């Protein structure tokens, strides 16, 4: 089901907002999906949510309370685009290039303006994706899925 797809798309940048102002995600009652991201060079983990069916806002925060916000939209051929800005001054763009149907997980990569690469996953069954669908991907990741899935 292609209910909500990630935060990996967008053309408009949302201004940073305080963590208290970010909406919670309840996939049962809202069009939203949990989101996790991993900064490859540092192992920094960001956790948050994406909202909307074909586009909308998203947010993710790291353990140091750095908040990244932006908007995403699905483009042609199922690709998705996003732009985001973080409360520590970083900003970037991301591209969603893969949707794993069995677990409903969108997968993509992005880059911060400082050159740092980020990988992200968004979907309502991330645990299943990391456990069953992508064992070879797990071995290549800078962040452990178990750590990314902790809330």
């Amino acid at each position: 089901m292609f209910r909500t797809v990630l935060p990996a798309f967008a053309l408009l940048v949302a201004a940073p907002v305080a963590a208290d102002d970010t909406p919670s995600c309840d996939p049962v009652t809202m069009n939203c999906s949990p989101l996790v991201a991993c900064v490859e060079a540092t192992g920094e983990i960001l956790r948050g949510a994406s909202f909307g069916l074909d586009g909308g806002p998203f947010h993710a925060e790291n353990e140091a309370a750095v908040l990244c916000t932006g908007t995403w939209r699905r483009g042609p051929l199922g690709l998705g685009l996003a732009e985001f800005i973080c409360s520590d001054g970083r900003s970037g763009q991301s591209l969603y290039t893969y949707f794993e149907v069995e677990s409903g997980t969108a997968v993509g990569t992005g880059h911060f303006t400082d050159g740092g690469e980020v990988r992200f996953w968004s979907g309502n069954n991330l645990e299943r994706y990391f456990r069953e669908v992508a064992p070879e991907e797990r071995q290549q990741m800078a962040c452990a899925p178990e750590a990314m899935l902790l809330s």
Side-chain angles (χ1 to χ4, degrees), residues 74-90:
R74 190 169 57 176
L77 305 173
L79 297 176
L81 304 170
E83 289 187 354
F84 54 91
I85 188 167
C86 303
S87 60
D88 65 357
R90 291 180 294 175

Side-chain angles (χ1 to χ4, degrees), residues 90-103:
R90 291 180 294 175
S91 61
Q93 298 178 328
S94 58
L95 175 66
Y96 151 80
T97 57
Y98 178 69
F99 183 74
E100 197 287 311
V101 178
E102 289 181 40
S103 67

Side-chain angles (χ1 to χ4, degrees), residues 65-83:
V66 172
L67 179 65
C68 298
T69 60
T71 56
W72 68 270
R73 75 172 178 86
R74 190 169 57 176
L77 305 173
L79 297 176
L81 304 170
E83 289 187 354

Side-chain angles (χ1 to χ4, degrees), residues 16 22-24 28 30 41 47 65 79 89 101 111 114 135:
T22 59
S24 298
V28 174
M30 305 168 75
R47 296 179 195 89
L79 297 176
V101 178
H111 290 89
D114 66 6

